[in-house]
Amino acid sequence: MAGYIAHRLLWSIPTLIVITIATFVIIQLPPGDYVTAYIAELVETGEVIDAETAAHIRHEFGLDRPMYEQFLTWIGGILLHGDFGLSLDWKLPVSELIWDRIGLTLLISMLSLLMTWVIAIPIGVYSATRQYSFLDHLFTVLGFLGRGIPDFLLALVLMWMGFLYFNFHVGGLFSPAYENAQWSFAKFIDLLSHLWVPVLVLSTGGAAGLLRIMRANMLEELGKPYVETAYAQGLSERQVVWRYPVRVALNPFISTVGWALPALISGDVITAVVLNLPTTGPLLLRSLQNQDMYLAGGFILILSVFTIIGTLLSDILLVLTDPRIRHS
């Protein structure tokens, strides 16, 4: 196992290098740069910037230098000083912008992921062991509804219902009185009162899809000879189901750790914009729209690292949980 992990870690180094170069190049492929997007915003407000001022701004941000020089300066600051550069749009350090929002993003995403698994796994197991029962048909209908309703539409419905019937402000994660206040117990309680909305919205679609996967995998495993052998040995249904086929049916859940970790950082961008959440998703979207290359590049680099770590963790967990993989 140690050799396998070391091998994967060594391969992650060239993978990160390639991803970093490709990311920086792709961000700069669209016509223009941040100054072009900035001038376009000013034109919409009636202001005009002459060519000399635009050239001065480009020189100030180093945008007039060749692409390879910009890349080497950026990656050198990250490797040598942990400096992700200065956000062209916000005029603040990229690391400060990212880490300010990453805590709330991880909290929402991890709670949503846990709720997704808590809902999907037991319902999927029940539907498979009680195939074609009334509740199985009911969960099937609810699963299709959950997959068919977009998250942002559910968010809009909850916002409308909360405001109309409960006079409840569901936009954002804090009430206006606590939005800019220092952390306190009262602010934490206010956060909990708003947190259920994004967690419910983000976990609905995921749970609906995973419970169908869990049901299908369980149905496939329940018909195999080892399950019949376990029943023949006198084990109860609970012991047979949860000790053997459930472990194998959980493989898709474990394998999704590879994309679950970066998803914890990026989150559902559209839902975050609709609910006005102070998370990293809307910040990433704005950086891409304004061609804020250092902020967007920093985000994508962090997501790439999390993807590599998540893939490694999922492979290790699969080896530990599935004897078939371990012995092969």
Side-chain angles (χ1 to χ4, degrees):
M1 179 64 72
Y4 172 76
I5 296 175
H7 177 75
R8 291 295 304 274
L9 290 176
L10 288 176
W11 269 107
S12 65
I13 297 175
T15 303
L16 274 177
I17 294 175
V18 172
I19 291 175
T20 304
I21 296 174
T23 298
F24 199 84
V25 171
I26 291 174
I27 290 174
Q28 299 211 24
L29 282 181
D33 52 21
Y34 165 74
V35 178
T36 306
Y38 177 64
I39 293 175
E41 288 184 2
L42 291 180
V43 170
E44 292 180 357
T45 62
E47 299 184 35
V48 179
I49 291 183
D50 55 33
E52 183 179 351
T53 304
H56 175 72
I57 296 176
R58 283 192 175 89
H59 178 73
E60 182 181 355
F61 287 123
L63 300 177
D64 56 347
R65 293 184 297 170
M67 185 186 300
Y68 72 90
E69 288 188 11
Q70 298 180 42
F71 173 76
L72 292 176
T73 302
W74 176 64
I75 199 65
I78 294 175
L79 295 177
L80 299 177
H81 309 290
D83 181 11
F84 285 82
L86 184 72
S87 170
L88 307 179
D89 187 24
W90 295 82
K91 310 299 186 297
L92 292 171
V94 169
S95 55
E96 179 180 330
L97 289 170
I98 293 176
W99 300 123
D100 280 350
R101 298 187 176 219
I102 206 168
L104 291 174
T105 304
L106 287 174
L107 176 62
I108 295 174
S109 301
M110 290 184 67
L111 289 177
S112 302
L113 181 63
L114 290 176
M115 180 173 287
T116 297
W117 287 2
V118 167
I119 295 173
I121 293 175
I123 292 180
V125 172
Y126 180 88
S127 295
T129 54
R130 302 293 185 272
Q131 189 181 15
Y132 304 134
S133 64
F134 171 76
L135 288 180
D136 180 30
H137 289 299
L138 177 63
F139 291 140
T140 298
V141 172
L142 294 178
F144 284 125
L145 287 176
R147 292 297 294 171
I149 299 176
D151 290 344
F152 70 89
L153 180 59
L154 181 60
L156 290 173
V157 171
L158 288 177
M159 291 177 67
W160 173 74
M161 292 180 61
F163 179 77
L164 185 63
Y165 295 105
F166 304 103
N167 195 24
F168 181 70
H169 179 75
V170 295
L173 291 177
F174 301 99
S175 301
Y178 292 100
E179 191 168 356
N180 297 316
Q182 296 292 328
W183 277 103
S184 61
F185 182 73
K187 184 174 182 177
F188 176 71
I189 297 299
D190 184 70
L191 171 64
L192 294 181
S193 66
H194 290 77
L195 198 59
W196 67 272
V197 177
V199 171
L200 177 62
V201 170
L202 293 176
S203 60
T204 300
L210 286 179
L211 74 87
R212 300 301 302 167
I213 296 174
M214 189 68 184
R215 179 183 183 275
N217 290 343
M218 283 294 297
L219 287 175
E220 181 181 355
E221 294 299 321
L222 288 174
K224 291 185 176 180
Y226 74 88
V227 177
E228 298 179 3
T229 303
Y231 276 120
Q233 292 177 345
L235 298 178
S236 65
E237 181 184 17
R238 180 183 297 273
Q239 290 176 316
V240 173
V241 170
W242 288 97
R243 184 178 299 179
Y244 300 110
V246 168
R247 289 182 59 185
V248 180
L250 284 176
N251 283 355
F253 290 77
I254 298 173
S255 62
T256 57
V257 174
W259 57 262
L261 281 183
L264 293 179
I265 304 299
S266 59
D268 193 316
V269 177
I270 299 178
T271 303
V273 171
V274 171
L275 290 175
N276 191 29
L277 301 179
T279 54
T280 55
L283 193 63
L284 174 59
L285 177 62
R286 176 170 174 173
S287 67
L288 294 173
Q289 290 175 330
N290 295 334
Q291 294 182 269
D292 191 349
M293 58 184 185
Y294 296 127
L295 181 56
F299 263 119
I300 297 176
L301 180 60
I302 292 175
L303 293 178
S304 302
V305 172
F306 270 81
T307 301
I308 292 174
I309 295 174
T311 304
L312 177 62
L313 286 177
S314 65
D315 290 344
I316 294 174
L317 290 175
L318 283 173
V319 172
L320 294 177
T321 57
D322 193 337
R324 300 173 303 176
I325 300 176
R326 187 184 310 132
H327 292 297
S328 63

